[in-house]
Amino acid sequence: MECETRDPVSRWWQRGVIYQIYPRSFADTNGDGVGDLPGIIARLDYLEWLGVDAIWLSPIYPSPMADFGYDITDYTDVHPLFGTLKDFDDLVTSAHRRGMKVIMDLVPNHTSEHHPWFVSSRASRQSPKRDWYIWRDAGPDGGPPNNWISNFGGSAWTLDKHTGQYYYHAYLKEQPDLNWRHQDVQSAIHDVMRFWLDRGVDGFRVDVIWHLIKDDQFRHNPPNPDYQPGEWPYRQLLATYTTDRPEVHDIIAGMRAVMNYYDDRLLIGEVYLPIERLVTYYGTAESGCHLPFNFQLIAVPWRADAVAAAVDAYESALPSHGWPNWVLGNHDKPRIAARIGPAQARVAAMLLLTLRGTPTLYYGDELGMEGVAIPTHLAQDPWEHRQPGLGLGRDPSRTPMQWNRSPHAGFTRGIPWLPLSPSFRTVNVDTERMNSTSLLTLHRRLIALRRAEPALNTGAYHRIPGTDDIMMFVRQAGASRFLIALNFSSKPAALSWSGTRYRGTIVISTALNREGERFEDGITLRPDEGIVSIVSDET
Ligand code: NOJ
Ligand code: CA
């Protein structure tokens, strides 16, 4: 399959690499065991050295932390745990000085139950803010208004005894959903966006954007015929009437209109949907998300054929104005190295950084941080508390960044809020930086090559036939062509050309001592090896 970049003028977010920071876990400067904004500022040198173009910060707003910042009490301030607005401004200035962009997490689907808007809304049925949230009378049986369930378990409706009605919350009861059908809610969040855009923020990653509008008739969600006992209980029902409603695209267009007023800002939407639904979130060229997050690589079985098929399916489904993007992990999902092991994590890094489309890299994945088993008594994630033992808890992917071999890995001089991975003495920035074959060095080299070579950032993508174990594709801009071959297995894999023959030189390999090697009649990849090669000729 052949995919070209249609827009001749590429934007920073098309060429660049985004790096997700989970601020609690990145770098602590005051010894309270929780990362903070001064910590991020102090580590910008590292991010610049790594070569990333933008940082996305998970929420830093004032919050009771029922869901670690995804429950906000003030959209236009910074939680004292993380610092001050002044620290934030300093961060933006320091990042911009380095040519790095700053993307904030925007959480418009719900607030904290302690947000003044909800405090007012729940105070009485006559409150001017009553309809800013979703209130309903009890159902005919005297219970919740309908069968909608929370992502974190149980009914998505909580009875407010004082006013005798239920309010809807897609997540915790401490996170009531805003009513986006209300014009004042739209205006209030647009104002929040302007507040940050005026401060120089370069974009937003919008939390659960596909949830923003719910069915106006409050119909029951249908049962999911594919549900398997033991899996995530939320999947018992199809989210037909609670997510991905047609009107959501008008809401996104409203947000885009706010952003379009500013120069070159980026709107990313968090969307967990199948490809054909996901791509509708590109909207039209001026009305949709620039990048609806594409989580195919998180969901797909880690096999050459499955990954190649997912990439092709996504590329073919993109609208003509849609720029692709790729994600291997985030603060909600098992880490990539935990999922596929350290050897394949190198192959995954090469895939992420050579595909056509903006890569988003989750902090610590560049080191090969793995999932950390958290003892029950130290579990922090509310999801783990509500639905224990199902493997749904997200703490294992949120442990402190591993900077060096010192007692708390250089993350804090206090007690880290989550335990460190036992691996930190070898898997850390200082150690890996010194090692020319580490995963960190591999990331840095791939990022540098990607930045230097138009073929690898905005160039065309053209997949070529591989084998059961090898995925291959070409990236091309003008006469510059790179062939990428990835061995998804732990066995050597030989490949001879069928049809077009490629003659080239290996530029980067995940294996040792291969760079500079030339090939002509085919390639034999070592176990778990990926290569990026310059193709000098094609016959
Ligand atoms: C998605 C966020 O990524 C996740 O961490 C959070 O719990 C839910 N949205 C609710 O805001
Ligand atoms: Ca701190």
Side-chain angles (χ1 to χ4, degrees):
M1 87 159 294
E2 181 84 50
C3 290
E4 299 283 348
T5 303
R6 285 125 182 143
D7 181 357
V9 187
S10 63
R11 318 280 282 271
W12 63 266
W13 48 267
Q14 295 179 291
R15 292 184 304 273
V17 175
I18 301 173
Y19 185 95
Q20 180 188 356
I21 293 177
Y22 196 65
R24 289 186 78 85
S25 301
F26 200 59
D28 173 28
T29 52
N30 62 354
D32 64 0
V34 176
D36 42 50
L37 294 179
I40 298 173
I41 295 173
R43 297 297 184 174
L44 286 177
D45 283 347
Y46 164 69
L47 297 171
E48 190 178 6
W49 171 86
L50 180 59
V52 301
D53 300 84
I55 52 175
W56 150 36
L57 307 179
S58 285
I60 54 166
Y61 310 91
S63 160
M65 298 285 170
D67 188 19
F68 292 108
Y70 285 95
D71 49 319
I72 293 169
T73 49
D74 185 349
Y75 283 106
T76 54
D77 205 349
V78 170
H79 195 303
L81 197 58
F82 297 123
T84 61
L85 267 178
K86 160 88 172 59
D87 292 328
F88 181 79
D89 291 341
D90 289 348
L91 171 58
V92 172
T93 307
S94 315
H96 284 173
R97 208 182 297 129
R98 291 169 160 85
M100 230 180 263
K101 309 285 187 181
V102 178
I103 299 166
M104 286 195 91
D105 217 307
L106 181 72
V107 190
N109 181 66
H110 42 266
T111 67
S112 161
E113 62 173 338
H114 298 298
H115 193 293
W117 298 342
F118 189 69
V119 172
S120 164
S121 182
R122 86 183 318 172
S124 87
R125 292 196 189 199
Q126 284 72 45
S127 162
K129 295 272 188 312
R130 185 65 170 182
D131 292 338
W132 281 41
Y133 292 84
I134 301 170
W135 291 97
R136 304 289 289 169
D137 292 333
D141 62 354
N146 64 21
N147 72 349
W148 295 356
I149 50 181
S150 152
N151 279 257
F152 290 155
S155 172
W157 296 97
T158 289
L159 176 65
D160 177 64
K161 290 213 179 84
H162 171 62
T163 56
Q165 282 188 311
Y166 286 79
Y167 66 89
Y168 175 71
H169 49 88
Y171 292 86
L172 299 173
K173 69 174 174 29
E174 291 84 357
Q175 295 167 291
D177 278 44
L178 282 162
N179 173 17
W180 270 85
R181 292 180 188 274
H182 199 303
Q183 193 56 53
D184 293 351
V185 168
Q186 299 183 18
S187 307
I189 297 289
H190 292 171
D191 286 347
V192 168
M193 294 173 75
R194 288 187 202 101
F195 174 88
W196 294 106
L197 292 166
D198 289 339
R199 288 193 111 81
V201 161
D202 301 285
F204 296 106
R205 169 269 189 191
V206 182
D207 192 60
V208 296
I209 204 164
W210 85 112
H211 272 260
L212 289 177
I213 290 277
K214 333 330 162 173
D215 182 38
D216 54 357
Q217 296 169 55
F218 296 89
R219 283 168 279 189
H220 290 295
N221 273 331
N224 176 2
D226 298 329
Y227 178 73
Q228 302 289 327
E231 67 169 319
W232 179 20
Y234 177 73
R235 284 200 11 104
Q236 285 169 49
L237 301 179
L238 298 172
T240 311
Y241 294 112
T242 39
T243 65
D244 194 26
R245 304 301 303 158
E247 304 95 309
V248 75
H249 298 287
D250 301 334
I251 300 299
I252 296 172
M255 291 180 166
R256 234 334 255 287
V258 173
M259 316 243 345
N260 287 347
Y261 183 77
Y262 297 78
D263 241 14
D264 220 12
R265 311 295 165 105
L266 171 64
L267 184 64
I268 304 175
E270 184 200 24
V271 184
Y272 283 94
L273 285 174
I275 290 174
E276 65 281 6
R277 297 300 315 148
L278 170 67
V279 295
T280 65
Y281 284 74
Y282 281 101
T284 68
E286 292 301 317
S287 75
C289 297
H290 296 106
L291 302 176
F293 260 150
N294 166 22
F295 300 120
Q296 308 310 312
L297 297 180
I298 294 182
V300 73
W302 199 253
R303 296 194 320 263
D305 58 343
V307 171
V311 173
D312 286 3
Y314 174 72
E315 280 278 12
S316 328
L318 287 174
S320 57
H321 66 279
W323 178 250
N325 77 91
W326 301 98
V327 182
L328 284 174
N330 60 38
H331 62 294
D332 294 326
K333 297 290 173 187
R335 282 193 180 271
I336 184 70
R339 186 157 79 87
I340 64 176
Q344 278 295 311
R346 296 171 71 83
V347 173
M350 188 170 275
L351 176 71
L352 177 74
L353 295 167
T354 55
L355 281 173
R356 189 180 84 108
T358 307
T360 300
L361 181 58
Y362 184 49
Y363 87 94
D365 280 354
E366 75 275 27
L367 306 174
M369 281 175 63
E370 296 193 347
V372 181
I374 308 293
T376 310
H377 70 284
L378 295 178
Q380 301 278 343
D381 184 6
W383 196 357
E384 181 64 27
H385 291 147
R386 287 182 54 86
Q387 300 192 307
L390 296 178
L392 298 171
R394 300 162 294 179
D395 293 332
S397 306
R398 297 177 175 181
T399 59
M401 178 69 172
Q402 298 165 195
W403 295 103
N404 58 42
R405 334 168 22 98
S406 72
H408 297 305
F411 165 68
T412 180
R413 55 176 194 274
I415 308 295
W417 76 284
L418 271 177
L420 277 158
S421 161
S423 73
F424 81 86
R425 289 206 163 74
T426 49
V427 179
N428 67 62
V429 171
D430 280 5
T431 306
E432 292 195 34
R433 240 174 132 129
M434 307 303 291
N435 177 352
S436 62
T437 62
S438 68
L439 182 60
L440 176 59
T441 304
L442 177 67
H443 274 88
R444 181 165 184 255
R445 295 182 61 208
L446 285 166
I447 291 172
L449 186 66
R450 181 186 175 92
R451 176 176 286 190
E453 295 290 348
L456 288 173
N457 54 63
T458 51
Y461 164 86
H462 169 51
R463 197 157 74 73
I464 52 183
T467 66
D468 285 353
D469 292 329
I470 299 182
M471 174 178 174
M472 283 205 300
F473 52 93
V474 170
R475 298 293 313 281
Q476 175 163 4
S480 159
R481 264 201 316 274
F482 286 81
L483 174 96
I484 292 96
L486 307 168
N487 182 358
F488 281 66
S489 91
S490 56
K491 297 191 289 288
L495 191 133
S496 47
W497 310 128
S498 65
T500 312
R501 302 163 58 81
Y502 295 90
R503 185 181 303 159
T505 307
I506 299 176
V507 187
I508 298 184
S509 164
T510 62
L512 299 181
N513 306 324
R514 276 220 87 170
E515 290 159 9
E517 204 178 289
R518 294 184 56 76
F519 56 84
E520 198 165 329
D521 298 322
I523 308 173
T524 299
L525 293 178
R526 296 181 191 164
D528 303 299
E529 184 182 19
I531 59 159
V532 180
S533 54
I534 287 202
V535 186
S536 53
D537 209 354
E538 202 177 86
T539 48

